[in-house]
Amino acid sequence: MKSKATLKLWFSNLNLLNKSLLVVLGMQLLCSLVTSGLYYNYSAKSITAVHAESMNKDINLIKGYLESQMEQMNNIAYGVGTNQSLAISVISYIHSPSIKKYVELTSTLMDKLIEIRTSNKDLISSAVYFVGDQFFYDYLNVLKPESDTAAMLRTISDPTYAFPLILETQENPFFKDGGKVIPLAYRYKQENENTYLIILLDVEKMQKKLSEYSNAGELILFDGSNRSIFGQRLSTNEIYQLHAIEPTTTSYTEVKIQDTKYIATLALMESSGWKIFSLKDEAVVLAKIKNLVNYILLVFLIVYIIEGVVLYFIYRSITRPINKLANLMESQTPGTFIESFNYPYDNEIGRLSKAYGRMMQEIREEEKQVEWEQKQKRLAEIQALQAQINPHFLYNTLNSITWLAIDQKDEKPASLANLLASYYRTSLSKGQEFISVKTECEHALNYLKIQEIRYTDVLTFSFDVPQEVSDYSVVKIILQPLVENAIYHGIKPKAESGHIHISVRKKDETTLEFCVEDNGVGINEENLSAINKNLHDGLFHSETGYGIYNVNARIRLTYGFEYGLTLESIENVQTKSKIILPIRQAKEESDK
């Protein structure tokens, strides 16, 4: 809890307050007795820290600007990938790459590439688009006669790369007079063909724009592979010094470059891995304070005396209410919480007292939550026992129907009754809550076979369950509600034949992923977001499929809230229901 952490921090610091006060006073007394030369060193560090703080602010402004621009370019690229008219033109050209289709695609891409270029004139040099091995650009630049588009295409076609792919700084690979650029590559999947958008960032424009944020400092920019984007040339040892700097917003590092000592700060862009270094000549920073040393020392001695008196009264005003609060907390016992500590001022101690009140309230609420969960668990156990009565009776009755059908030599009713009996046998599972993956898949298979008899020539299905996962243990009946949901909300409204595919795989060494995929009507984005939000929040909405919420609730109550169910869907294409569970070894054998 945040409130509890705040209290721990305050009280750990409180124990050191007496010693810290004495140390501060002693250090200030020592500083008042040293020579002006030694005090100059102290003052120099203070001034350097002020400049470093300013540099940190500047460099983080630069970082924020670059990250916002990168996000804007990612959004632009996303817009290109989701542009329907462009997608239609690309797919049409892929299917029949004629001159007419080429001209149509060029016309569509021309507007989009010019729009990308003009969206950020401060950074973007140009943009190009690849469809297969065909290269498209906006014709506002002049191509290099030796432009090797095939080499660029081979680079960005490497399947091991993640996108957006930020390539190294290079001379413009496509156009004359382009200068140095940084290519940003984006990949799109159109039909079975990969298409690529490459946005070229102009390094010179970037350096000029970023210099507007730097207060008389020098900027050096490295990419995610520690390759220089712009800035002065450095030796290997100087580069090593820079890369040893830790990113921070409050301090700085001193480095020596070409016999000059610099104040250096670093900002790291997490999204791209770029490192932005700001350097400022330390001699320039300290030039104005040399004549102020003696005056500052005199002022310091006067302030020291006043400060000693003031600190004493501040110390008393801080420790008195905190000690009172500490005594109050030590006196607390379960069931007799005092939830408030009255402090009239809105300062750090006032916030501490409010944090204490919030912590007490959170403890009370957690106790209520635990009590509610215990009641819900007992209620669920009672309901589960009640729910087993009817399946037992139905299971025994279905066995009787099976034998009667066999006696009458009517195989189809016998098969149907036998499938339904097997279905309820898994539902009962001898009262066990956990079954093997294999048994769970057989339960879903029995349900699908029953539905296949009911919806002849309308429903097909397939399974992909590796042997390595078949013996793992899972909470029972998690696939059948998803299959039922796929049939009634996906395939049946489609009014034509549909297919359901069920797969189980190890997502990693600790988790399993179950997937039920159908090619039905899908779910629109608004409803999909609402359903996934309800699943995340643990809410029930029967009008959108009670079964999926039931499955999700049982999984989270059994394994924890980090596991559960999510949906993915493309309207009129497909829907995927994915379950994430922890890997557990089976504790029971399937009912033979």
Side-chain angles (χ1 to χ4, degrees):
M1 293 182 299
K2 184 177 180 181
S3 301
K4 191 173 183 179
T6 303
L7 292 172
K8 286 183 177 180
L9 179 61
W10 270 85
F11 287 120
S12 63
N13 292 336
L14 178 62
N15 294 328
L16 299 175
L17 189 58
N18 294 336
K19 294 180 180 179
S20 298
L21 181 60
L22 293 176
V23 169
V24 170
L25 292 174
M27 290 179 62
Q28 290 184 338
L29 178 60
L30 179 63
C31 288
S32 66
L33 299 175
V34 297
T35 65
S36 60
L38 292 176
Y39 189 75
Y40 167 77
N41 183 58
Y42 173 82
S43 301
K45 289 185 177 180
S46 299
I47 296 297
T48 303
V50 171
H51 279 267
E53 182 179 359
S54 176
M55 292 168 64
N56 274 311
K57 290 180 180 178
D58 291 345
I59 203 170
N60 279 285
L61 284 175
I62 292 172
K63 171 188 173 182
Y65 170 76
L66 283 177
E67 287 182 336
S68 67
Q69 296 305 306
M70 287 293 189
E71 183 178 0
Q72 179 185 1
M73 282 180 270
N74 289 339
N75 291 336
I76 290 172
Y78 176 77
V80 171
T82 57
N83 187 284
Q84 292 297 320
S85 62
L86 176 58
I88 292 170
S89 296
V90 171
I91 294 171
S92 177
Y93 176 76
I94 291 172
H95 286 169
S96 56
S98 63
I99 297 297
K100 179 182 178 181
K101 298 295 185 182
Y102 176 86
V103 172
E104 291 176 353
L105 179 54
T106 300
S107 176
T108 303
L109 279 171
M110 178 79 71
D111 294 337
K112 186 56 66 176
L113 294 177
I114 292 175
E115 179 185 339
I116 292 173
R117 180 176 184 173
T118 57
S119 66
N120 192 336
K121 295 181 180 179
D122 292 334
L123 296 182
I124 297 178
S125 170
S126 56
V128 300
Y129 198 92
F130 282 95
V131 178
D133 58 356
Q134 189 61 51
F135 171 71
F136 296 86
Y137 64 102
D138 59 16
Y139 295 98
L140 298 178
N141 294 287
V142 179
L143 280 177
K144 286 182 176 178
E146 71 279 8
S147 176
D148 190 359
T149 58
M152 176 62 73
L153 186 58
R154 285 193 301 271
T155 300
I156 63 178
S157 298
D158 190 334
T160 61
Y161 286 141
F163 288 82
L165 172 62
I166 304 177
L167 301 179
E168 65 178 315
T169 305
Q170 56 191 273
E171 290 296 329
N172 196 308
F174 306 113
F175 306 114
K176 289 183 177 180
D177 304 322
K180 288 189 175 182
V181 296
I182 305 171
L184 304 183
Y186 300 85
R187 178 174 61 197
Y188 311 103
K189 193 75 171 179
Q190 304 288 2
E191 296 290 320
N192 293 321
E193 189 79 24
N194 286 331
T195 63
Y196 302 90
L197 170 68
I198 300 179
I199 299 176
L200 301 176
L201 302 184
D202 190 311
V203 174
E204 184 177 351
K205 288 182 178 180
M206 180 186 296
Q207 187 172 9
K208 181 179 179 181
K209 184 65 179 178
L210 297 187
S211 65
E212 298 175 4
Y213 291 88
S214 179
N215 183 19
E218 181 179 357
L219 295 177
I220 300 177
L221 185 62
F222 287 89
D223 65 15
S225 299
N226 290 332
R227 296 173 297 221
S228 176
I229 296 177
F230 63 74
Q232 62 174 291
R233 292 184 177 274
L234 304 174
S235 67
T236 302
N237 182 58
E238 290 166 349
I239 292 175
Y240 178 79
Q241 287 186 71
L242 289 180
H243 290 310
I245 299 174
E246 294 292 333
T248 178
T249 59
T250 58
S251 63
Y252 64 94
T253 301
E254 292 183 351
V255 297
K256 193 171 185 179
I257 298 176
Q258 299 178 357
D259 297 326
T260 301
K261 186 178 287 187
Y262 288 92
I263 303 168
T265 58
L266 164 66
L268 177 63
M269 295 175 59
E270 290 81 2
S271 58
S272 62
W274 287 6
K275 294 181 178 179
I276 311 166
F277 295 94
S278 177
L279 304 179
K280 188 172 286 189
D281 190 335
E282 189 176 59
V284 175
V285 172
L286 301 178
K288 295 182 179 180
I289 68 167
K290 292 181 178 179
N291 296 328
L292 300 176
V293 174
N294 294 331
Y295 176 77
I296 293 175
L297 180 58
L298 178 61
V299 172
F300 178 81
L301 292 174
I302 297 172
V303 170
Y304 172 78
I305 299 173
I306 299 174
E307 186 178 12
V309 177
V310 172
L311 283 176
Y312 172 76
F313 287 103
I314 293 176
Y315 167 77
R316 290 290 303 275
S317 66
I318 292 174
T319 56
R320 184 177 297 173
I322 292 181
N323 284 326
K324 183 177 180 181
L325 179 57
N327 293 333
L328 177 63
M329 294 184 66
E330 290 176 353
S331 66
Q332 301 303 306
T333 58
T336 60
F337 297 120
I338 300 175
E339 297 182 359
S340 63
F341 173 75
N342 295 324
Y343 187 80
Y345 305 108
D346 186 17
N347 53 22
E348 288 81 357
I349 301 175
R351 292 196 295 272
L352 179 62
S353 65
K354 292 178 181 177
Y356 166 75
R358 287 195 298 270
M359 185 185 73
M360 293 296 103
Q361 182 64 30
E362 287 172 2
I363 293 174
R364 294 287 294 274
E365 290 177 356
E366 286 182 359
E367 289 182 343
K368 293 179 181 178
Q369 179 68 18
V370 170
E371 182 180 355
W372 179 85
E373 288 178 355
Q374 292 296 327
K375 289 181 180 178
Q376 293 298 314
K377 185 176 181 180
R378 289 195 295 270
L379 179 61
E381 291 172 350
I382 294 172
Q383 291 175 344
L385 291 173
Q386 291 175 343
Q388 291 180 4
I389 297 173
N390 289 336
H392 269 295
F393 172 75
L394 183 57
Y395 170 60
N396 293 330
T397 304
L398 287 170
N399 278 331
S400 300
I401 294 172
T402 300
W403 287 108
L404 286 173
I406 292 173
D407 288 341
Q408 298 296 324
K409 297 181 179 181
D410 194 345
E411 295 183 358
K412 192 169 184 178
S415 176
L416 183 60
N418 195 42
L419 285 171
L420 195 56
S422 298
Y423 172 85
Y424 278 105
R425 179 177 60 186
T426 303
S427 299
L428 294 171
S429 302
K430 299 180 181 180
Q432 296 177 349
E433 184 62 25
F434 296 91
I435 59 178
S436 67
V437 171
K438 177 181 178 182
T439 305
E440 177 63 24
C441 291
E442 288 175 351
H443 181 251
L445 176 62
N446 288 332
Y447 177 78
L448 282 166
K449 286 182 177 180
I450 294 171
Q451 295 296 339
E452 185 180 35
I453 294 173
R454 181 178 179 186
Y455 299 106
T456 306
D457 300 327
V458 173
L459 176 65
T460 59
F461 53 86
S462 60
F463 282 77
D464 180 12
V465 185
Q467 179 63 34
E468 63 173 344
V469 304
S470 61
D471 291 332
Y472 290 139
S473 173
V474 295
V475 64
K476 67 181 180 181
I477 313 180
I478 57 175
L479 287 177
Q480 182 273 329
L482 304 186
V483 172
E484 181 178 351
N485 196 66
I487 293 174
Y488 287 99
H489 295 284
I491 294 176
K492 191 174 179 182
K494 189 177 180 182
E496 59 183 65
S497 178
H499 183 79
I500 294 177
H501 180 69
I502 298 174
S503 62
V504 186
R505 70 182 182 93
K506 287 179 69 174
K507 187 176 182 183
D508 51 45
E509 293 303 316
T510 61
T511 55
L512 283 177
E513 180 182 87
F514 292 75
C515 181
V516 177
E517 179 179 356
D518 69 79
N519 61 349
V521 296
I523 308 171
N524 63 49
E525 291 186 5
E526 182 179 355
N527 289 339
L528 181 66
S529 298
I531 292 172
N532 279 324
K533 184 178 187 303
N534 290 334
L535 289 170
H536 178 271
D537 295 340
L539 303 177
F540 274 77
H541 281 266
S542 58
E543 66 272 13
T544 55
Y546 178 84
I548 62 173
Y549 295 106
N550 180 280
V551 169
N552 185 61
R554 288 192 292 114
I555 290 172
R556 297 178 76 178
L557 285 173
T558 302
Y559 298 107
F561 286 89
E562 64 270 30
Y563 303 100
L565 170 65
T566 57
L567 300 186
E568 299 176 1
S569 184
I570 303 175
E571 194 171 5
N572 298 318
V573 177
Q574 67 176 13
T575 300
K576 292 182 181 180
S577 302
K578 291 186 177 181
I579 295 174
I580 302 298
L581 298 180
I583 291 179
R584 297 287 188 271
Q585 295 297 328
K587 297 181 181 179
E588 49 84 35
E589 296 183 359
S590 300
D591 191 10
K592 304 296 184 181

